[in-house]
Amino acid sequence: MRRPINRRYFIGTTAAASLATLAVGASEPRPTGDRRPVAVASGNGLRAVEKAVELARLGYDPLDAAIEGVAIVEADPKDDSVGYGGLPNEDGVVELDAAVMHGPTHGGGSVASLRNIMHPAAVARLVMNRTRHCLLVGEGALRFARAHGFPEVDLLTDHARKVWLHWKETRDPSDDWLPPPKEEVAAYLDDYMKRRVTGTIHCSVLDTHGDLGCATTTSGLSWKIPGRVGDSPILGAGLYLDNEVGSAGSTGVGEANLLHCSSYLVVENMRRGLAPKDAVMEALKRIAQSSIRDPKRRRPDGKTTFNVSFYAVSKSGEFAGGCIYPGGKMAVHDGDSARVVQLDPLFDS
Ligand code: GLY
């Protein structure tokens, strides 16, 4: 088995090699149409929507535009919920999940629990284009990525390793890991211990022909049990589209979306005539109502223990997002300019 290369070497060469593999499986641009392109993404996706619309304007396929957009965040060591720099599982290993959907062909592909590959969304596109399957996981997904020339990278940054080590050393006073000396504990480490990171990036793109493409990519829930797969690589849960209707995706606690096929639900809500805003809010209500039947997902006040956010764009170019609790953000490019907006929550607290 090929070993991951060391980080110093990676900085010089592998970033370029990883970026080069982004083109593997992408289509040639076609003449542009006359529609205004639109892209929506989770709040960490401002650069993603800018890139996606730039490419859509050049005639690139909407899925290729979405993949190039999210690749910026996959390669960003400062985003601790996606790709390189993502927080690891409980063993300190970064495991990535990603999926893509392509409107014109209604194709989809995904990878789950993929290690050592910086751009899992691009690998998911190859699962869609170069196999008869929809989902590859773990070692099989890694071998598939290698077969297509994706370089292996140590995805665990020093920052992510330190946060993980702090979690490991402070989680259980009765285990054999001693807490770190107080003087060595930076304030940011304590901040991390107050929450589980569930960030992710989703990006949906409507191109100049009115065709749709979308991608969702994540390192998943921080400190997850090794092998845990969230909603992001599950078509219908972490993303879904229908080229005649619209596209949607989600971030947040993936289990809620697995239990509700949430992105499918948002798109189906649009299919029966709801505007994206109402489609999203209806889905959030459904999740909030049914999840609390399970005591482990119900707070003492009867609301959900978790948050999820949705991002949706319709075939006509209307877009909206929403979340269960305040704090969610959406990056949007409406064809004129890009910005980050606050999402309307279902509940105030
Ligand atoms: N939504 C990302 C995850 O739960 O893995």
Side-chain angles (χ1 to χ4, degrees):
M1 182 184 148
R2 227 192 293 170
R3 292 185 60 75
I5 62 176
N6 75 43
R7 202 167 287 116
R8 187 183 301 272
Y9 180 69
F10 154 73
I11 300 292
T13 62
T14 307
S18 284
L19 276 176
T21 52
L22 274 177
V24 178
S27 317
E28 290 299 316
R30 58 177 168 162
T32 49
D34 54 10
R35 298 271 306 266
R36 179 187 290 213
V38 173
V40 295
S42 37
N44 53 351
L46 186 61
R47 289 170 298 165
V49 295
E50 285 170 342
K51 185 70 175 177
V53 166
E54 178 194 324
L55 292 175
R57 281 208 185 100
L58 293 171
Y60 282 87
D61 179 273
L63 173 55
D64 296 344
I67 289 172
E68 288 271 352
V70 298
I72 297 169
V73 182
E74 288 176 329
D76 182 354
K78 293 202 193 82
D79 192 307
D80 58 15
S81 67
V82 179
Y84 179 58
L87 293 176
N89 66 19
E90 66 180 18
D91 290 343
V93 178
V94 181
E95 288 184 331
L96 304 180
D97 297 338
V100 300
M101 281 196 80
H102 182 239
T105 55
H106 201 72
S110 53
V111 289
S113 296
L114 176 62
R115 300 179 175 190
N116 299 338
I117 300 292
M118 190 184 292
H119 293 299
V123 182
R125 174 176 54 198
L126 286 166
V127 173
M128 178 183 83
N129 284 339
R130 300 287 289 265
T131 79
R132 295 187 199 283
H133 305 312
C134 285
L135 171 60
L136 295 180
V137 305
E139 179 62 23
L142 176 57
R143 282 159 57 176
F144 176 79
R146 273 192 211 130
H148 281 282
F150 283 76
E152 284 183 74
V153 178
D154 183 353
L155 296 171
L156 188 70
T157 57
D158 273 352
H159 170 79
R161 181 187 56 73
K162 282 179 188 158
V163 178
W164 166 77
L165 183 63
H166 187 72
W167 169 78
K168 190 97 180 151
E169 290 185 331
T170 55
R171 65 189 291 227
D172 182 356
S174 68
D175 71 16
D176 293 328
W177 293 76
L178 295 177
K182 273 207 165 29
E183 58 278 12
E184 282 182 20
V185 178
Y188 75 86
L189 290 172
D190 278 336
D191 285 348
Y192 267 100
M193 298 308 119
K194 293 181 191 139
R195 64 197 172 100
R196 295 284 290 281
V197 170
T198 58
T200 291
I201 181 164
H202 168 79
C203 182
S204 282
V205 178
L206 177 74
D207 77 2
T208 59
H209 298 275
D211 286 328
L212 292 157
C214 64
T216 301
T217 174
T218 189
S219 51
L221 193 61
S222 58
W223 334 136
K224 60 193 173 185
I225 296 171
R228 176 264 187 188
V229 173
D231 59 324
S232 303
I234 305 302
L235 306 172
L239 80 177
Y240 192 72
L241 61 71
D242 185 311
N243 210 42
E244 301 304 312
V245 178
S247 178
S250 184
T251 59
V253 175
E255 282 71 9
N257 292 330
L258 288 168
L259 289 166
H260 293 88
C261 303
S262 302
S263 295
Y264 179 76
L265 192 57
V266 172
V267 172
E268 290 306 295
N269 285 344
M270 289 194 276
R271 188 193 302 281
R272 61 189 177 86
L274 296 189
K277 179 87 216 170
D278 298 325
V280 161
M281 283 304 170
E282 278 290 316
L284 289 168
K285 264 185 230 160
R286 170 88 76 87
I287 293 170
Q289 281 164 4
S290 52
S291 297
I292 59 171
R293 293 181 204 145
D294 184 340
K296 69 174 174 284
R297 304 191 204 284
R298 184 175 67 232
R299 296 194 317 204
D301 67 359
K303 294 178 185 165
T304 63
T305 53
F306 59 82
N307 201 2
V308 291
S309 301
F310 292 126
Y311 320 92
V313 59
S314 71
K315 177 82 173 168
S316 65
E318 265 188 283
F319 54 84
C323 46
I324 296 182
Y325 297 116
K329 291 181 184 165
M330 174 169 75
V332 54
H333 197 311
D334 60 9
D336 283 331
S337 60
R339 59 196 178 276
V340 173
V341 297
Q342 292 286 339
L343 293 180
D344 287 337
L346 182 65
F347 301 131
D348 290 335
S349 61

